[in-house]
Amino acid sequence: MKIGVTGRIMLIYGSLLLAVISLAFFFSYQSTVRGLEQQLKETNMALLKQIDQKIELSFQQTEANLLQLTNELEFVYFMNDSYKDNAQKNDNFFVLNSKLGKFLNNNLQFSSIFAYSDVSGNILSDRFYTTKDQSENSWIAEYLEIPDYFQWLTTHKIWDGNVNRDVVTLIRSYPPLSAPGYRKGVVAANIDVDVLYRMIHDIYEKESPGHTFILDKTGQVVAHDDASMLYSKMGELPYIRQVLGGQESGSYSAMVDNVKQTVSFKTSAYTGWKIVNIIPESQMYKPLTVTRNLLILLAVVLFLVAFVILFVVNRRTFSPIDRMLGKLSRNGRPAWGGAAASAPRGVSYLESFFDQMFVDREKLEQQLRDSKPMLKWRTIMDVLVGYRTDYAVIAPHLEFTGIRLFPEWYVVCTAEIGKEGGIEPRDQTLYTYALCNVAEEIINSENAGSAIDLGGGRAVIVFSFAEGDEEQNHLRAMALLEQILNVMNRQIGLTVIAGLGRGYRELKDVQLSYAESQQALHYKMVAGNHGVISILDVQTPDNQDYYHIVRMIDRIVDALKQSEMDKGLLYLKGIFQEAVNHNLPPDLIRQFSFELVMRATQTMESIGMDTEETLNEIGNLYERINRCENVRETEQVVEAVLVGFADKIDKRRSQRGKNEHIGRILQFIQEHYRDSGLSLDRLAEEFDLHPTYISKLFKEQMEDNFIDYLIKIRIEAAKELLLDKNIKINDVSDAVGYMHSRSFTRTFKKYTGLTPTEYREQAIGSSGQ
């Protein structure tokens, strides 16, 4: 078929038009759809990387804290089972148990911690203390010979003292850098699988349509959003084999349950675990469906428009030319005709495409705005834990999230909402949010700062000042906190207790102020439930303060033995008042409370009294004392134990009579205590009785052994002689039956807390002589 000139022009013109449309569609599809597909994959991998970084940062920080814990002196005693006596062992247990509890409070991702001593075979946690053979957690001993210094165990069950838990466990050798065969024990820190999965879940802004889970090197499930998948082996699944094949990370398509899905994975360099995300491609690329369909529709419309232009508009446009050429060729007269073509309809679809692009952009901007609170929380937490220490580096992040901080001068406060009457967790979050808003409004009116929610009714407030010094800014922060607490109490009706750290100049020292604020907040047990506790007001007392208070325990125990409980309760009240006056930390208050009960229990058992019934009536003494919110509650718990013991002593004494020999023996001791050779054998010879029988008489009738009774008689006599400053210390020692003055001085200080010289100076000074 012969094609005319206009036909060839139309063919060339049409071919070029179709080629332009085809190329435009191809490049638009590649740059838009393919580009967005790649961005979605990269975003998915970035989320897996964030999960990996979050878990690694949390685990590494906790491992560092765990290493610091194992360096504590009490931990060394426990692992080496090196105690002088049971009293030191019990003291060490209470201190170490308290430190384990404090470690768990500072590392909320861990649910429990076990320490196993291979020397003693004992296992200690924050909730129990038992032997390996009696414990349900004897599995810990199997990891004594691990080849490395630490090892992460995949999901398994443990007994934490109350229930069985699904956990992953960090095993750490002790000593930390010891080789197999040279270890004294191991430490195991346990993380609930739910906590581990929340670390994953919190990364996503909304519910993920697929599954994100963690596998170990063998393909066993470590954490999964489907609890039924725990302990399952996935290594034999075809799409998992490629994950375990050796690559550090990757993304590929695979058929899972007869559905085409995208599998993305990232290998943790720290634990070696695989973080895997599986999303159906229909869900993963759902945001692209509208864009892709619009592009295809636009291409179809453009092709239709092109054909309309070619076969309708162009024919009508070139028809007169064709007719003219035909007429000319036939010497005919050209006839003009043809009407203007209608406008192409494809333009409306192009407009829809660009409208959709703008809508998608607005959605992305909205998602970015919604993520700002989380970015703000992450930025402040990075500063508080020392992860961000350079102001110049972090300044863009502060500006983006709307945080106002000056380059220098910082003070940190940790605040806790009062829980009197009980507050629902949802209300706690609401009240903490209100506290943060009030704090930022008051602070930023003249200065700079920010506040974030720590969870559990706690918030951290960062103050920043443009000028001043450490002391001046500390006082400014205290004044601002008083305003904040006043507003919360007056307008919302809430009590707030706040701990305030010192002021520091550089950003890198903010973590020090944060740690001090938490330390100050611990003193809420003494300070109450509303107010500001400055770290400067709660300086830790020296050892002399604590040991002076501990020495006062002897008075209470003596009063208990002598059935003078009224006097003992007065001493008890005084000892707790001394603890408050010396700003004794809550941990030490609990410790000397345990010490007092332990000494009283030992005294009761030494005189043959049964303490089990009284302690059972009180309940779990350790838990009750640890749950006490203030000093008065702790004092009441200890008082209940002592009163129970005193009642038992009174009851036994009322049921027995007086032995006929004991009166004469006591009279003989009173007359001959100055004799250094006075002993049980001497008494046995004098009264024609067996020494064992005399010892038994003392315990039954005097509720004391012979030697302790003799020492007390001699110490009381020495006190009388020391009131005369003309008598030398050596002469006093001889006069009360001691052959060596050094032995007398040591004994006197143990029973009175003072040396003979100190006692004389104190007694004469108080009498005004």
Side-chain angles (χ1 to χ4, degrees):
M1 183 178 71
K2 188 176 179 179
I3 301 176
V5 175
T6 58
R8 289 195 294 271
I9 293 174
M10 289 174 56
L11 183 60
I12 296 172
Y13 173 76
S15 299
L16 289 175
L17 181 60
L18 292 176
V20 169
I21 294 174
S22 299
L23 289 174
F25 172 77
F26 176 79
F27 288 116
S28 297
Y29 189 91
Q30 290 294 328
S31 62
T32 304
V33 176
R34 295 302 182 190
L36 289 175
E37 286 180 1
Q38 185 62 30
Q39 289 179 19
L40 284 173
K41 290 182 179 180
E42 291 174 357
T43 301
N44 201 33
M45 291 301 297
L47 289 173
L48 294 181
K49 184 177 181 180
Q50 288 184 35
I51 294 171
D52 181 30
Q53 290 175 343
K54 181 177 181 180
I55 293 176
E56 180 176 345
L57 178 64
S58 177
F59 282 7
Q60 286 181 342
Q61 181 61 42
T62 305
E63 183 182 358
N65 294 341
L66 189 62
L67 287 175
Q68 184 178 358
L69 176 65
T70 59
N71 290 330
E72 296 289 342
L73 183 60
E74 294 80 3
F75 207 96
V76 176
Y77 285 158
F78 172 78
M79 283 298 186
N80 292 278
D81 196 30
S82 54
Y83 308 108
K84 294 181 181 179
D85 50 32
N86 286 334
Q88 185 190 13
K89 183 176 182 179
N90 289 331
D91 284 347
N92 191 78
F93 161 72
F94 287 122
V95 175
L96 183 55
N97 191 273
S98 175
K99 290 186 175 181
L100 292 179
K102 185 176 180 181
F103 174 84
L104 292 177
N105 289 335
N106 291 337
N107 298 271
L108 300 179
Q109 66 271 34
F110 284 100
S111 59
S112 59
I113 179 171
F114 302 153
Y116 166 66
S117 169
D118 193 54
V119 179
S120 64
N122 293 332
I123 299 176
L124 172 67
S125 81
D126 60 305
R127 294 187 177 182
F128 58 79
Y129 177 73
T130 183
T131 64
K132 177 183 72 174
D133 296 330
Q134 296 175 345
S135 174
E136 295 185 19
N137 295 297
S138 58
W139 53 267
I140 190 174
E142 300 172 6
Y143 296 93
L144 186 66
E145 303 300 325
I146 57 175
D148 296 322
Y149 303 127
F150 75 97
Q151 180 177 336
W152 281 95
L153 307 184
T154 56
T155 307
H156 64 118
K157 288 189 179 295
I158 65 161
W159 175 256
D160 69 346
N162 289 328
V163 295
N164 283 314
R165 289 179 177 271
D166 295 318
V167 299
V168 295
T169 301
L170 168 62
I171 296 291
R172 186 77 202 193
S173 63
Y174 184 86
L177 299 180
S178 58
Y182 297 92
R183 294 170 179 161
K184 302 295 183 181
V186 292
V187 185
N190 304 300
I191 303 177
D192 282 349
V193 174
D194 292 340
V195 174
L196 183 59
Y197 186 74
R198 280 201 298 273
M199 291 185 185
I200 301 172
H201 185 270
D202 291 344
I203 294 297
Y204 294 93
E205 296 178 356
K206 58 182 181 180
E207 198 69 22
S208 175
H211 296 285
T212 303
F213 52 92
I214 299 178
L215 302 175
D216 67 4
K217 296 178 181 178
T218 66
Q220 180 175 335
V221 175
V222 178
H224 202 290
D225 54 347
D226 184 359
S228 64
M229 295 297 294
L230 291 180
Y231 304 104
S232 61
K233 296 278 190 178
M234 300 183 68
E236 297 301 320
L237 297 177
Y239 67 95
I240 295 298
R241 291 197 193 113
Q242 188 169 347
V243 173
L244 302 176
Q247 290 185 342
E248 294 297 322
S249 62
S251 180
Y252 60 91
S253 296
M255 295 298 294
V256 181
D257 297 330
N258 296 322
V259 178
K260 192 172 183 180
Q261 305 196 38
T262 298
V263 181
S264 304
F265 65 97
K266 175 77 172 63
T267 305
S268 172
Y270 177 67
T271 61
W273 294 342
K274 304 280 187 178
I275 305 171
V276 185
N277 175 257
I278 301 178
I279 303 178
E281 288 193 355
S282 61
Q283 295 291 329
M284 181 173 182
Y285 300 127
K286 187 175 182 180
L288 303 178
T289 303
V290 175
T291 303
R292 181 180 59 196
N293 292 341
L294 284 174
L295 282 174
I296 295 174
L297 180 60
L298 178 61
V300 172
V301 170
L302 289 177
F303 274 102
L304 291 175
V305 170
F307 280 104
V308 169
I309 293 173
L310 286 174
F311 296 102
V312 178
V313 177
N314 285 353
R315 275 193 177 277
R316 292 188 177 184
T317 302
F318 289 104
S319 291
I321 299 175
D322 282 336
R323 287 195 297 269
M324 182 186 68
L325 291 176
K327 295 289 184 177
L328 289 174
S329 64
R330 297 190 301 269
N331 294 320
R333 189 175 181 178
W336 293 93
S342 60
R345 297 181 355 179
V347 176
S348 62
Y349 293 102
L350 183 62
E351 182 181 1
S352 299
F353 168 74
F354 285 111
D355 287 342
Q356 185 63 41
M357 289 186 63
F358 285 119
V359 170
D360 291 342
R361 178 185 176 185
E362 290 175 359
K363 288 182 179 179
L364 289 174
E365 290 177 349
Q366 180 63 36
Q367 291 176 358
L368 191 59
R369 286 194 297 270
D370 292 342
S371 66
K372 277 190 177 182
M374 184 59 191
L375 293 175
K376 172 185 175 182
W377 185 91
R378 181 71 268 170
T379 301
I380 294 296
M381 285 304 300
D382 287 346
V383 172
L384 293 175
V385 301
Y387 184 69
R388 305 268 190 176
T389 58
D390 190 340
Y391 184 87
V393 174
I394 201 175
H397 299 273
L398 299 177
E399 182 179 358
F400 177 77
T401 54
I403 301 172
R404 290 188 64 241
L405 290 180
F406 293 122
E408 294 180 318
W409 304 117
Y410 307 95
V411 184
V412 180
C413 159
T414 302
E416 180 175 323
I417 292 179
K419 301 179 178 64
E420 298 86 359
I423 299 179
E424 294 294 331
R426 182 170 57 184
D427 293 335
Q428 280 186 7
T429 303
L430 199 60
Y431 290 144
T432 307
Y433 177 77
L435 172 61
C436 292
N437 285 342
V438 169
E440 289 188 346
E441 182 177 352
I442 292 177
I443 295 170
N444 290 311
S445 62
E446 293 185 25
N447 302 286
S450 185
I452 61 173
D453 185 357
L454 292 178
R458 283 195 174 190
V460 62
I461 304 171
V462 180
F463 299 86
S464 182
F465 303 95
E467 57 184 4
D469 56 28
E470 288 85 354
E471 183 177 359
Q472 184 179 10
N473 290 333
H474 183 84
L475 294 176
R476 288 173 177 170
M478 286 192 67
L480 290 172
L481 274 176
E482 293 290 348
Q483 296 179 33
I484 295 168
L485 268 59
N486 182 50
V487 171
M488 292 296 295
N489 186 258
R490 178 164 43 84
Q491 296 185 4
I492 304 179
L494 283 179
T495 60
V496 179
I497 185 73
L500 186 65
R502 293 181 176 86
Y504 290 92
R505 180 166 188 165
E506 298 182 7
L507 187 68
K508 66 182 179 63
D509 295 324
V510 168
Q511 58 179 324
L512 301 178
S513 186
Y514 176 49
E516 290 168 352
S517 70
Q518 292 181 312
Q519 179 185 352
L521 189 61
H522 289 165
Y523 281 78
K524 66 179 181 179
M525 179 180 182
V526 179
N529 294 322
H530 188 73
V532 181
I533 309 172
S534 169
I535 188 64
L536 302 179
D537 297 331
V538 293
Q539 298 295 330
T540 303
D542 58 21
N543 292 336
Q544 293 303 317
D545 294 331
Y546 175 70
Y547 290 116
H548 172 70
I549 293 174
V550 170
R551 284 194 293 268
M552 296 172 65
I553 292 176
D554 292 334
R555 300 180 183 177
I556 300 175
V557 174
D558 289 340
L560 176 65
K561 290 173 62 176
Q562 301 301 326
S563 293
E564 297 176 347
M565 206 54 228
D566 292 340
K567 184 187 296 184
L569 294 180
L570 289 176
Y571 289 152
L572 180 66
K573 184 175 181 180
I575 198 172
F576 275 94
Q577 188 60 47
E578 284 282 330
V580 174
N581 293 341
H582 285 85
N583 279 331
L584 208 63
D587 289 344
L588 289 184
I589 293 177
R590 293 187 180 96
Q591 182 176 334
F592 83 70
S593 299
F594 292 135
E595 173 74 13
L596 174 55
V597 173
M598 184 195 69
R599 293 274 294 277
T601 303
Q602 291 175 341
T603 300
M604 292 286 288
E605 292 175 349
S606 69
I607 61 177
M609 300 293 292
D610 183 13
T611 61
E612 184 175 354
E613 182 180 351
T614 300
L615 294 177
N616 287 338
E617 292 173 356
I618 297 298
N620 190 317
L621 190 64
Y622 175 76
E623 290 186 1
R624 287 199 58 183
I625 292 180
N626 274 332
R627 287 199 306 264
C628 291
E629 291 289 335
N630 52 56
V631 175
R632 179 56 186 158
E633 288 183 15
T634 308
E635 181 182 346
Q636 289 173 348
V637 173
V638 177
E639 180 179 328
V641 176
L642 297 180
V643 170
F645 288 167
D647 290 342
K648 284 190 171 295
I649 293 176
D650 291 341
K651 183 177 180 180
R652 191 174 83 167
R653 286 181 175 173
S654 63
Q655 293 175 350
R656 72 183 181 207
K658 198 75 172 179
N659 188 279
E660 61 180 5
H661 297 293
I662 196 66
R664 293 186 295 121
I665 292 175
L666 295 179
Q667 181 65 30
F668 185 84
I669 293 174
Q670 193 66 38
E671 294 174 355
H672 296 85
Y673 69 86
R674 301 174 184 83
D675 185 355
S676 61
L678 185 59
S679 64
L680 276 177
D681 291 335
R682 171 80 182 278
L683 292 176
E685 181 180 347
E686 181 70 26
F687 293 97
D688 195 21
L689 298 171
H690 196 277
T692 304
Y693 177 72
I694 296 177
S695 176
K696 182 179 179 181
L697 274 180
F698 262 89
K699 288 185 178 180
E700 289 181 352
Q701 299 294 327
M702 303 306 298
E703 295 171 350
D704 210 346
N705 58 44
F706 163 72
I707 191 63
D708 287 340
Y709 181 82
L710 178 60
I711 290 174
K712 291 177 183 177
I713 293 294
R714 288 173 171 172
I715 294 300
E716 291 300 320
K719 288 180 180 179
E720 294 294 329
L721 294 174
L722 287 170
L723 295 177
D724 187 348
K725 61 183 179 181
N726 296 320
I727 303 178
K728 297 180 179 180
I729 302 298
N730 289 343
D731 295 337
V732 173
S733 173
D734 293 338
V736 296
Y738 284 91
M739 297 179 64
H740 304 287
S741 60
R742 181 176 298 177
S743 178
F744 166 68
T745 300
R746 188 185 306 113
T747 304
F748 191 90
K749 184 173 183 180
K750 175 177 175 58
Y751 276 79
T752 65
L754 301 169
T755 65
T757 302
E758 291 171 344
Y759 179 84
R760 168 177 280 172
E761 292 174 353
Q762 189 178 95
I764 293 176
S766 62
S767 63
Q769 297 179 3

